[in-house]
């Protein structure tokens, strides 16, 4: 999952923004990757190689206690590697593949920073790896460790226009192990996956992404997924008592979203809404079904070939009240009935394979549980962060 599992968020964002972002299709690189290096691999055919090496630094106020979130998360000022990847891929012919190896970090608004070394425990040093069988140009099957179909925002920081993931992104999964079928017919494309949800290693999730391309500037997408069975037992891999942790809560949930994308000239505008429902589960003391919901808008403006600026505004709400038997506020940790809104702005410079960007973000929560928000004691309702990220892509 994105940061350490216990810090994941069921966030629903009402994002409204008039700031700006580089293209982030359901899965295109917002930072423009240079052309791939190609080499002949004998019987494997032509292989393409790409790479990313970048680091980030941050300043934040109201840092949480390091004892609760780890040394990096408890710092006011810190730095780490954001991406260190080598990507090998074969994207032509009947048999294709994609391998992405290296290190990564998942900074997210409202989430404590985790060190890159600890983040590697999430998906290992080979976070994305799959085999693809493509008998025709409009039909394919993929199997392996696949990028999620949930949400419009890239999983790794180089795949999006902001350094931090947003509030809706915080609740979405990142990688699934499973099988995915893709089909395209004219303006309509559909991907359906059977997988292990929030990387539970229990293959009981089905999710999908349906895209309708209206024209060259406008498209609309619907995504959804959920657990068809039940993940975890009293003595299983997620819990040994009636308490609920974030991974179990998320993996026994359903999530749905809808987003629209407008892209024309220097502008990209992308509003989206998302809803997550977690049913009652008496085995874990969840006596009431609960939900999180929200909306978001991302806007990007390319000032010139080298400069762009991205922005977003978000809102999140968890239903219920503290102690009512639901878990709507447990993943983020703000508590049932909590609300939060966030805003960020990210100017970016890119020249060939080199990029540098800065980000200023602000989040404020209300109706939160005591000890569930920011600062050493978890009682400060707001947090400001400044970040910089720079690196190279080839």
């Amino acid at each position: 999952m994105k940061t350490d599992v216990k810090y994941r968020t069921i966030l629903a964002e009402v994002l409204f923004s008039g700031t700006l972002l580089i293209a982030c299709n359901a899965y295109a690189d917002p930072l423009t990757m240079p052309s791939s290096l190609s080499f002949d691999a004998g019987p494997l055919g032509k292989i393409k190689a790409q790479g990313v090496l970048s680091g980030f630094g941050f300043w934040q106020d109201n840092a949480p206690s390091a004892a609760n979130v780890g040394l990096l998360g408890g710092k006011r000022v810190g730095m780490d590697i954001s991406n260190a990847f080598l990507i090998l891929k074969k994207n032509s012919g009947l048999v294709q593949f994609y391998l992405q190896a290296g290190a990564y970090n998942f900074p997210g608004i409202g989430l404590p920073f985790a060190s890159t070394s600890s983040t590697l425990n999430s998906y290992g040093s080979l976070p994305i790896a799959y085999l693809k069988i493509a008998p025709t140009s409009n039909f394919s099957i993929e199997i392996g460790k696949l990028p999620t179909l949930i949400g419009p925002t890239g999983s790794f920081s180089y795949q999006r226009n902001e350094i931090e993931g947003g509030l809706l992104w915080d609740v979405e999964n990142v990688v699934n192990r499973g099988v995915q079928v893709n089909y395209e017919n004219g303006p309509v494309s559909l991907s359906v996956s059977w997988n292990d949800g929030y990387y539970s290693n229990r293959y009981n999730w089905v999710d999908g992404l349906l895209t309708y391309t209206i024209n060259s500037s406008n498209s609309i997408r619907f995504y959804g997924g959920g657990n068809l069975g039940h993940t975890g037992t009293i003595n299983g891999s997620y819990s040994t008592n009636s308490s609920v942790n974030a991974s179990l809560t998320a993996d026994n949930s359903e999530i749905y979203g809808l987003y629209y994308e407008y892209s024309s000239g220097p502008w990209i505008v992308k509003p989206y809404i998302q809803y997550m429902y977690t049913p009652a589960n008496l085995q874990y003391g969840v006596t009431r079904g609960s939900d999180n919901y929200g909306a978001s808008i991302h806007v990007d403006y390319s000032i010139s070939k080298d400069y762009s600026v991205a922005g977003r505004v978000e809102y999140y709400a968890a239903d219920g009240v503290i102690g009512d038997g639901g878990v709507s506020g447990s993943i983020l940790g703000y508590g049932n009935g909590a609300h939060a809104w966030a805003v960020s702005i990210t100017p970016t410079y890119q020249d060939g394979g080199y990029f540098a960007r800065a980000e200023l973000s602000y989040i404020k929560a209300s109706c939160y549980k005591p000890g569930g928000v920011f600062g050493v004691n978890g009682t400060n309702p707001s947090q400001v962060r400044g970040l910089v990220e720079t690196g190279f892509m080839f």
Side-chain angles (χ1 to χ4, degrees):
M1 301 177 71
K2 299 208 162 81
T3 60
D4 188 21
V5 159
K6 66 180 178 182
Y7 298 123
R8 284 194 48 91
T9 316
I10 298 184
L11 282 164
E13 314 164 16
V14 173
L15 262 164
F16 164 73
S17 169
T19 23
L20 324 153
L21 216 149
I22 293 177
C24 170
N25 81 1
Y27 306 103
D29 298 338
L31 289 169
T32 305
M33 294 283 284
S35 298
S36 305
L37 303 174
S38 297
F39 59 92
D40 194 338
L44 293 178
K46 184 166 289 188
I47 305 300
K48 295 182 178 182
Q50 290 180 303
V52 184
L53 178 61
S54 64
F56 75 101
F58 68 87
W59 168 87
Q60 62 180 349
D61 70 354
N62 299 324
S65 169
N68 296 327
V69 301
L71 182 60
L72 188 69
K75 290 183 175 181
R76 288 178 60 87
V77 178
M79 64 178 63
D80 212 331
I81 294 169
S82 53
N83 302 280
F85 285 122
L86 175 63
I87 300 167
L88 297 176
K89 58 186 177 181
K90 182 177 183 292
N91 53 9
S92 62
L94 174 63
V95 180
Q96 305 174 24
F97 65 83
Y98 184 98
L99 301 172
Q100 183 167 337
Y104 46 92
N105 200 302
F106 296 127
I109 290 179
L111 300 179
F113 289 106
S115 68
T116 300
S117 59
S118 66
T119 305
L120 277 170
N121 295 327
S122 301
Y123 307 107
S125 58
L126 190 66
I128 307 292
Y130 60 88
L131 180 69
K132 181 176 181 179
I133 308 299
T136 68
S137 61
N138 62 348
F139 176 78
S140 63
I141 300 173
E142 300 169 353
I143 183 169
K145 297 172 69 173
L146 304 163
T148 182
L149 297 175
I150 303 299
T153 307
S155 299
F156 306 104
S157 67
Y158 79 92
Q159 295 175 322
R160 53 179 181 253
N161 293 334
E162 304 94 350
I163 302 171
E164 297 176 282
L167 295 181
L168 269 69
W169 176 87
D170 287 342
V171 71
E172 299 159 6
N173 54 16
V174 176
V175 176
N176 308 132
R177 287 172 288 204
V179 179
Q180 180 175 310
V181 177
N182 309 296
Y183 176 74
E184 181 178 353
N185 185 7
V188 178
S189 62
L190 175 66
S191 294
V192 178
S193 175
W194 170 62
N195 57 66
D196 65 345
Y198 284 76
Y199 214 67
S200 67
N201 204 29
R202 300 191 181 188
Y203 296 86
N204 50 17
W205 261 68
V206 172
D207 51 39
L209 172 67
L210 176 65
T211 301
Y212 178 70
T213 302
I214 302 168
N215 53 41
S216 60
S217 299
N218 299 272
S219 62
I220 188 167
R221 296 176 174 92
F222 171 77
Y223 59 87
N227 195 323
L228 299 183
H230 170 76
T231 299
T233 63
I234 294 300
N235 296 310
S237 60
Y238 281 101
S239 179
T240 57
N241 52 46
S242 62
S243 65
V244 177
N245 65 30
S247 59
L248 179 65
T249 302
D251 205 70
N252 282 296
S253 299
E254 304 168 8
I255 187 168
Y256 306 96
L258 178 71
Y259 65 99
Y260 163 80
E261 182 173 343
Y262 169 80
S263 177
S264 181
W267 290 96
I268 296 175
V269 181
K270 187 183 300 182
Y272 82 107
I273 56 175
Q274 186 167 281
Y275 173 81
M276 188 173 194
Y277 175 72
T278 306
N281 187 329
L282 297 182
Q283 289 190 44
Y284 296 94
V286 182
T287 59
R288 184 184 69 87
S290 57
D291 52 36
N292 292 260
Y293 50 89
S296 151
I297 184 169
H298 298 244
V299 184
D300 178 75
Y301 181 74
S302 295
I303 301 168
S304 67
K305 179 178 69 71
D306 298 330
Y307 294 92
S308 66
V309 59
R312 62 187 165 194
V313 180
E314 312 171 282
Y315 175 82
Y316 149 78
D319 79 340
V321 297
I322 295 172
D324 66 1
V327 291
S328 61
S330 68
I331 293 185
L332 179 60
Y334 296 173
N336 293 358
H339 303 259
W341 68 272
V343 61
S344 70
I345 184 168
T346 312
T348 297
Y349 169 77
Q350 182 177 3
D351 183 8
Y354 172 74
F355 71 93
R357 53 187 176 175
E359 183 164 293
L360 181 65
S361 66
Y362 174 78
I363 181 171
K364 185 171 183 179
S366 59
C367 303
Y368 52 86
K369 72 176 183 180
V373 280
F374 310 106
V376 173
N377 298 316
T379 56
N380 197 305
S382 65
Q383 185 176 65
V384 176
R385 283 178 172 173
L387 301 95
V388 293
E389 184 183 35
T390 187
F392 300 89
M393 302 182 293
F394 65 83

